[in-house]
Amino acid sequence: MLINWFTVVAQAINFLILAWLLKRFLFKPILHVIDERAKGIAAQFAEAEAKKTLAQTERDDFQHKNETFDRDRAALLQKAEAEAERRRLLELAHHEADAVRAKRHESLRIEQRGLSQEIGRWVQKEVFAITRKTLADLAAANLEERIVAVFLEHVRSLSGEAKDQMTAALTTSADPARIRSAFDLPPAQRATIENAVKQSFAVETRFEFETAPELIGGIELSKGGRKLAWSIADYLGTLEKSARELMHQDPPQAPKPEDKAKTDSKPDPKLESKPKAGPVREPRSDLAAAGMAPKANP
Amino acid sequence: MRLSPDDLIFWRHGFVVLNSTILTTWLLMLGMTIGSWLITRKLVTESRIPRWQGFLEIVVTSIESQIQEVGLRDPEKYLGFLGGLFLFIAVSNLCAILPGYEPPTGSLSTTSALAISVFLATPFFGVLDQGWRGYLASYLKPTPFMLPFNVLSEISRTFALAIRLFGNVMSGTMIVGILLSITPLVFPIFMNLLGLLTGMVQAYIFSILATVYIAAATRGGEEPDPITTTKGHPWKA
């Protein structure tokens, strides 16, 4: 017999138990986990979708902001450029105005200087002529003689440190002492000067006479880098200054000392000493005296 | 030569016997239950899952989709019975690869037990779905004259189920046994492979037919043609 009925019943029960066991341990857990995962995936998808939407919104927002920013920036840039251009043009105009002003100032200054020179020259000429004429009229001697006399008087009256320095210069140098004058000195005057110098400084030296037309109405003794000079330029300078002030043309700072010297281009009235300015004062006062009172000592 | 593992009896007391069929079935039950438990006790719901879990998920979802394809609307309700049927037959047939193993499905007692289970399950699910009246009314369709034929068909297909499975599995085992005595080398391996294929096919046929019967009972309509219902598998009739 192929069929054992007890086995049939037993197998049927066995099968039902197995079906229950499989349902309990296999199908239910597996289906449950699949459902869970499906739910999880759905949730993830939903989340991703939400995130995507959010990202989209944010991106749109950001794009919008970016555009606004770009627009604002362009506008600001344009404004700044316009401002910079305006400033540049303004600066350029300032520069040009300054240049024009400086140029004008310079030409004014040149004109002024020319005028001052002209006046100086004219004053010099006039004063010299007047002086010469006055001296010629009032004294027996001519102007040159009077100048020599004044010069010699100062050589003699030179004293103190200035005299020592001049003496030293005359003694130490082997060169001849140079006498420069604006006019030709006659031999008698030359001898007088030589004697006066020799006596005054108690030295024995050779003399060399030279005519320098640029020393208008002046005379100077130079030796070994030292110079004893006399001229009427100081008086002329004073006169010129007074004239200038009178004309209100030249502010005090405009003509510089160098300019003045250049303009004058005549013998310095000062007794110049390179290392020291000591001997300068005396001749000046004397010059003033000479200019003011030409007839006192003919 | 034994035709059935029923004949190998280990213990007997009156009409109660403990033969190879019952013992092997118990062992299979134990193995399947423990295996399921081992795998399903630590299931994960993350997107990365262990391989065994993936394999079982494929098996379970395939069974479920097959049930649904046949026409049962709520496959989870029938999954325990139909899935258990398929897995039991498949596993007991596939284990034929083990030496000294005799599949319990090669015993007419087992196949009869399974067929009777299907025979009883059909009205059970039918009544569960449509109620007594609805289920019994299906025997009177299309005309009351068809009642005897419907009842006859119900009984005969149960026999057919039992005999088909028994014949296929038993013949497979028998063929391997006979061939082993004739050509003991190489050739039995191919027959064994064929036996495995046959075992799987039989498991599929048995469970799909059970599904079809239950589907017919629950729908209350005419019994669908199994061939057209499970298209693409003409050999399962």
Side-chain angles (χ1 to χ4, degrees), chain A residues 35 60 80 102 129 165 178 204-205 223 238 248 259 285:
Chain A
D35 284 351
D60 288 350
Q165 285 173 356
R178 179 181 287 179
E204 194 62 44
T205 181
K223 173 96 189 271
T238 313
H248 294 293
D259 294 343
S285 59

Side-chain angles (χ1 to χ4, degrees), chain B residues 10-187:
Chain B
F10 299 110
W11 179 79
R12 180 192 287 274
H13 182 76
F15 69 97
V16 179
V17 289
L18 182 63
N19 52 30
S20 169
T21 308
I22 294 173
L23 194 70
T24 314
T25 306
W26 283 351
L27 288 175
L28 284 174
M29 284 165 69
L30 195 70
M32 287 167 77
T33 308
I34 289 174
S36 303
W37 176 74
L38 280 178
I39 293 167
T40 56
R41 74 188 163 144
K42 45 184 176 187
L43 293 174
V44 291
T45 52
E46 281 83 41
S47 47
R48 270 195 74 81
I49 54 172
R51 287 173 191 171
W52 276 110
Q53 185 183 340
F55 171 72
L56 280 191
E57 281 183 12
I58 289 169
V59 170
V60 173
T61 48
S62 301
I63 295 169
E64 198 182 34
S65 69
Q66 280 293 328
I67 294 170
Q68 208 161 20
E69 245 175 59
V70 170
L72 287 169
R73 280 185 299 274
D74 191 6
E76 218 169 316
K77 199 160 72 177
Y78 313 99
L79 195 62
F81 181 76
L82 295 172
L85 205 57
F86 172 76
L87 285 181
F88 173 62
I89 298 168
V91 171
S92 64
N93 286 351
L94 287 178
C95 284
I97 196 93
L98 301 172
Y101 171 86
E102 283 190 56
T105 42
S107 139
L108 191 57
S109 307
T110 309
T111 56
S112 302
L114 296 179
I116 289 164
S117 297
V118 174
F119 177 74
L120 294 175
T122 307
F124 173 76
F125 286 118
V127 169
L128 207 66
D129 195 61
Q130 315 183 69
W132 283 104
R133 188 183 288 273
Y135 174 69
L136 291 177
S138 68
Y139 283 96
L140 301 174
K141 285 176 182 170
T143 60
F145 293 111
M146 292 297 285
L147 176 64
F149 301 103
N150 280 334
V151 174
L152 198 64
S153 139
E154 200 83 0
I155 293 162
S156 66
R157 73 190 184 191
T158 304
F159 280 113
L161 270 181
I163 301 296
R164 184 188 297 115
L165 183 59
F166 162 70
N168 277 292
V169 178
M170 184 269 289
S171 65
T173 319
M174 292 286 283
I175 287 167
V176 172
I178 294 163
L179 282 173
L180 270 175
S181 59
I182 301 168
T183 53
L185 286 175
V186 182
F187 194 62

Side-chain angles (χ1 to χ4, degrees), chain A residues 179-199:
Chain A
I179 307 281
R180 294 171 82 223
S181 60
F183 41 86
D184 272 337
L185 290 169
Q189 281 180 346
R190 290 187 181 187
T192 315
I193 292 169
E194 280 181 22
N195 287 332
V197 171
K198 280 175 185 169
Q199 278 172 15

